[in-house]
Amino acid sequence: VTLYKSGSPKLATTSTGIDVTGSVVADGLTVESSVNNNDVSIVINNTFDDNSSSSSPSSALIFGAASNNAYLRCFGAPADTASNHKIDLGSTAGNSFLTFSPSGLERMRIHSNGAVGIGTTTTTGAGGLLVDNDIKTNSRFGVGSLGTVGTPALHVLADTDTGIYFPDFNHIGLV
């Protein structure tokens, strides 16, 4: 079955489903193949929530799965605050992590405890950062702890009691 408008086919049933020529609009959801002459695979334009045309939805796009699985949420609420405009990528599982894998190889991991690993699939303790390569800066580098003689602020992981500590401001200690 094929439906025509002005002599052009617009909707047709096929052996594999339905073919649509043009845009698809369903209750505020629009899927188009091109917007402003840009080649776009899918555009989802959901500007209003389900019952009110005066307020935007709390999230425009959610990919989800069963409980304890990953999700992607894109938020754009009417209030112009950072907490209302965000992309949230996460998981509901208790011991989960996010990975970034350009070219199919994992290069960064963020664990549910806040630990981050870069260049390694290992993460450190809660909130720690483990980098398996050089750390370079074009600015300054600060250390949040003064350290002590027994636990220096800067040390090699294999030798945690040898390194640099700061006995007080404007002084450096070596152990």
Side-chain angles (χ1 to χ4, degrees):
V1 173
T2 302
L3 298 176
Y4 293 84
K5 180 178 180 187
S6 301
S8 297
K10 296 298 178 181
L11 179 68
T13 58
T14 67
S15 62
T16 59
I18 297 175
D19 287 338
V20 177
T21 302
S23 299
V24 176
V25 178
D27 293 333
L29 174 66
T30 303
V31 181
E32 300 176 319
S33 61
S34 179
V35 175
N36 298 327
N37 295 320
N38 291 322
D39 293 328
V40 178
S41 296
I42 297 175
V43 172
I44 299 174
N45 184 4
N46 183 2
T47 55
F48 302 110
D49 63 14
D50 38 347
N51 293 320
S52 173
S53 62
S54 63
S55 65
S56 296
S58 62
S59 62
L61 175 63
I62 297 176
F63 291 116
S67 65
N68 289 329
N69 281 307
Y71 59 82
L72 168 64
R73 294 183 272 203
C74 301
F75 295 90
D80 190 16
T81 60
S83 63
N84 290 322
H85 297 272
K86 61 185 173 186
I87 296 174
D88 185 19
L89 178 64
S91 172
T92 58
N95 198 23
S96 62
F97 50 86
L98 303 176
T99 61
F100 296 86
S101 304
S103 302
L105 297 172
E106 183 178 331
R107 298 295 184 203
M108 185 169 99
R109 176 179 293 206
I110 304 173
H111 197 275
S112 61
N113 67 7
V116 177
I118 300 174
T120 176
T121 58
T122 304
T123 56
T124 63
L129 173 65
L130 178 62
V131 178
D132 189 22
N133 210 323
D134 295 342
I135 298 176
K136 300 173 184 173
T137 179
N138 291 327
S139 187
R140 300 178 341 148
F141 178 78
V143 178
S145 168
L146 296 176
T148 65
V149 172
T151 56
L154 295 172
H155 60 84
V156 177
L157 288 178
D159 187 5
T160 60
D161 60 356
T162 301
I164 300 172
Y165 73 102
F166 306 91
D168 53 47
F169 294 107
N170 299 320
H171 291 93
I172 295 175
L174 301 174
V175 290

